[in-house]
Amino acid sequence: MSRLPAFCAALLLTCASAQVFADAKSHAEDAERFLLLARADKLAVPVYAQVQQMFAQRFAESNAPQSEKAVLETYQAQANTALEQAVGWDKLKPDMVKLYTRTFNEQEMQDLIRFYESPLGKKVLEQMPTLTAQSAQLTQSKLEAAVPKVNQLLAEMTTKLTPKKP
């Protein structure tokens, strides 16, 4: 009879840990679903394009004849392979899932999924890259007006901090 409480406690702990594991698995699955909805699996695409452009530019700068274009394509393919090994979705996904499950609880994750599956959420996903680029461009154009003043202040500070000759 004295073993019954210990057995019940062990049974309760086993059930509780199984529930925690199931909740964690569900939370991770929700995070992965959200990340796919948010197109996180495409985050590295601009990096690939930038590297491809870099190789094409170097090819053009080398004045290589078009008959050597196969060399360019070979190196671009090798660069894609290197990028895939570093930032391919299968490499990023586990850490991204951890990041999002630490940041958003399971209910918040489900709310995000519902939002991004809604018409407005889909519109946000479609428009966000354009809005982000336009916002950066707008900020850059406004910032250009401040550059001369900032450069002047930097020069003044440098002058003030430079030891004066006796």
Side-chain angles (χ1 to χ4, degrees):
M1 215 45 183
S2 64
R3 290 187 190 166
L4 186 60
F7 176 74
C8 289
L11 185 61
L12 271 173
L13 282 174
T14 302
C15 291
S17 63
Q19 182 61 40
V20 167
F21 178 74
D23 288 348
K25 185 174 187 249
S26 171
H27 193 192
E29 287 170 352
D30 285 345
E32 186 174 343
R33 184 171 169 208
F34 165 74
L35 288 165
L36 291 175
L37 278 171
R39 301 181 184 133
D41 58 325
K42 307 288 187 246
L43 282 174
V45 169
V47 174
Y48 285 74
Q50 193 173 22
V51 169
Q52 294 299 302
Q53 181 59 37
M54 188 174 65
F55 275 86
Q57 184 176 345
R58 183 65 55 90
F59 180 79
E61 289 170 357
S62 71
N63 294 319
Q66 285 300 309
S67 61
E68 294 291 324
K69 193 163 183 178
V71 172
L72 167 64
E73 292 167 354
T74 298
Y75 279 93
Q76 285 176 320
Q78 290 175 5
N80 277 348
T81 300
L83 290 171
E84 187 64 29
Q85 290 172 350
V87 293
W89 180 236
D90 62 320
K91 303 291 189 261
L92 291 176
K93 182 172 63 172
D95 292 330
M96 295 288 282
V97 166
K98 287 177 191 170
L99 176 66
Y100 277 77
T101 55
R102 281 194 314 255
T103 304
F104 300 103
N105 67 38
E106 194 162 3
Q107 183 60 54
E108 291 168 333
M109 195 63 62
Q110 290 169 1
D111 291 345
L112 282 168
I113 289 168
R114 267 192 297 285
F115 173 72
Y116 282 108
E117 287 178 334
S118 74
L120 178 58
K122 289 176 182 176
K123 183 176 182 177
V124 167
L125 287 172
E126 289 171 16
Q127 297 301 317
M128 194 54 67
T130 302
L131 289 171
T132 301
Q134 290 174 346
S135 297
Q137 188 176 23
L138 179 69
T139 302
Q140 182 66 33
S141 69
K142 301 279 185 196
L143 186 60
E144 288 174 6
V147 169
K149 180 65 176 174
V150 170
N151 285 338
Q152 175 191 349
L153 291 168
L154 186 59
E156 287 176 17
M157 183 187 80
T158 302
T159 300
K160 193 170 230 164
L161 293 174
T162 302
K164 295 177 180 43
K165 295 180 182 176

